[in-house]
Amino acid sequence: MTISYTAQQDVTRAIHPGVRLRQLLTQGTPAKIMGAHDGLSARIAADAGFDALWASGLCMSSVLGVRDSDEASWTDLLAVASRIVEATPLPVLVDGDTGYGNFNTARRFARQAERLGAAGICLEDKVFPKMNSFVGNNHKLAPVSEFCGKLRACRESLRDPSFVVVARTEALIAGLEISEALQRAEAYRQAGADAIFIHSRKSTVDEIADFVREWDDRLPVVICPTTYYRTPQQTYEEMGIGGVIWANQSMRAAVAAMREACRLMYAHGPTAVEETIASLAEVFELLAYDQLAKDEERYQL
Ligand code: SPV
Ligand code: MG
């Protein structure tokens, strides 16, 4: 069952993406931000009712068939992000990894993301080339001053003051103390970040909760509960979280479904999957083929 564009989505489209994302991050209940990896996954997330989209570096890299270790070029990734932006009226926060080098590459990336209609970017304080936060134990952080320079360069080169710059600290991923994460977040706030993304790969929310308590709402906080997914959603509201990113579940769902379909097809042929895969009618509905027919009547005279 899919939903075509509703009046609410028309309203969403009318609001500038950066303004909309800022509203969502400060509305008092955590924004539900779904990871997307292409136009199709973006449409599915929008139809499910999500508030905003995360153009995930991990997931966009995965669909390009490469690793989340800066193997794809940033122009490759922005081409995918642009399809995500185009696919729905929802605001899109683009994962900018480390900014792909220094302040200069970071600010050019930010400008290009702004040009393609994203609502904001997120930069993380690791060194280039980065590795996905869940892989290995060698996550080196950039010096605070260097990362602050990247944030300032982005802020000062963006044209749209509402475009959101999220600063992500990987201090906890690097095995450092919460105090280090707090010091970094405060420096990033002073450098012009609009929100702080605090990442953790613990199986409970505890260290994030400690961070958030000390942070005391100096800026909206964004989190990504991939490993502490068992935490009840209500907890995030009680903690005052600005946005919850479900970064990679959609891509992982697709991997599991495609794997199973390929396995069954190889062994038994298409009859084995026909009942469980999406019908073509569902795909056509999702991508509003009927609207194109109506538009032909209107415009193709
Ligand atoms: C991504 O989705 O690319 C992220 C989140 O950066 S994580 O994979 O959890 O690092
Ligand atoms: Mg990423």
Side-chain angles (χ1 to χ4, degrees):
M1 179 59 194
T2 58
I3 307 163
S4 59
Y5 289 107
T6 61
Q8 173 57 38
Q9 284 173 313
D10 282 345
V11 170
T12 306
R13 191 189 288 280
I15 301 173
H16 202 67
V19 173
R20 179 69 188 134
L21 185 57
R22 282 167 191 269
Q23 284 176 347
L24 288 166
L25 294 178
T26 54
Q27 69 191 356
T29 52
K32 292 187 171 183
I33 308 172
M34 187 63 181
H37 49 269
D38 56 14
L40 187 64
S41 56
R43 287 294 278 264
I44 291 170
D47 280 358
F50 280 92
D51 300 319
L53 300 172
W54 165 250
S56 156
L58 167 63
C59 300
M60 295 191 293
S61 299
S62 301
V63 297
L64 291 172
V66 298
R67 289 167 287 222
D68 183 23
S69 182
D70 291 312
E71 284 187 352
S73 72
W74 66 261
T75 46
D76 282 342
L77 293 170
L78 276 188
V80 181
S82 142
R83 299 283 87 83
I84 293 171
V85 169
E86 186 186 19
T88 89
L90 298 184
V92 178
L93 179 61
V94 178
D95 184 357
D97 289 335
T98 63
Y100 308 97
N102 63 1
F103 76 91
N104 194 33
T105 52
R107 71 180 169 185
R108 180 134 193 277
F109 175 86
R111 281 291 306 277
Q112 298 295 321
E114 178 186 38
R115 271 166 51 115
L116 64 81
I121 56 158
C122 176
L123 294 183
E124 67 194 50
D125 58 0
K126 292 211 292 248
V127 294
F128 178 90
K130 55 69 67 82
M131 172 49 82
N132 182 269
S133 306
F134 299 115
V135 180
N137 294 312
N138 190 22
H139 296 280
K140 292 204 175 63
L141 298 192
V144 175
S145 57
E146 182 189 313
F147 191 68
C148 287
K150 277 185 192 173
L151 295 173
R152 279 193 292 110
C154 290
R155 190 74 277 161
E156 287 167 16
S157 65
L158 288 160
R159 291 195 178 147
D160 173 4
S162 76
F163 189 86
V164 177
V165 177
V166 177
R168 161 171 166 177
T169 181
E170 293 277 286
L172 304 178
I173 300 291
L176 302 172
E177 300 293 322
I178 292 170
S179 55
E180 175 75 22
L182 285 161
Q183 273 170 29
R184 284 179 169 261
E186 176 58 21
Y188 305 161
R189 185 184 72 79
Q190 289 180 21
D194 300 303
I196 299 295
F197 178 160
I198 176 75
H199 206 10
S200 162
R201 56 183 197 180
K202 293 271 163 61
S203 59
T204 69
V205 73
D206 298 354
E207 66 178 1
I208 295 281
D210 289 346
F211 174 93
V212 169
R213 208 171 299 115
E214 288 287 318
W215 180 248
D216 198 22
D217 217 15
R218 279 173 258 172
L219 282 177
V221 172
V222 176
I223 59 170
C224 178
T226 298
T227 48
Y228 50 99
Y229 63 89
R230 286 196 177 87
T231 313
Q233 306 250 15
Q234 180 65 24
T235 306
Y236 302 134
E237 183 150 1
E238 288 161 9
M239 286 165 63
I241 296 294
V244 179
I245 299 176
W246 301 107
N248 49 48
Q249 285 81 359
S250 190
M251 180 272 289
R252 288 159 57 202
V255 168
M258 287 190 284
R259 272 226 150 116
E260 181 62 358
C262 286
R263 187 184 70 74
L264 288 168
M265 295 264 300
Y266 186 79
H268 309 293
T271 320
V273 300
E274 188 60 29
E275 294 301 314
T276 53
I277 59 179
S279 67
L280 282 178
E282 189 178 338
V283 175
F284 298 152
E285 191 188 350
L286 183 62
L287 294 169
Y289 278 55
D290 59 339
Q291 186 61 48
L292 179 58
K294 285 182 200 146
D295 289 347
E296 277 169 3
E297 280 170 26
R298 188 160 176 218
Y299 298 120
Q300 206 162 272
L301 306 173

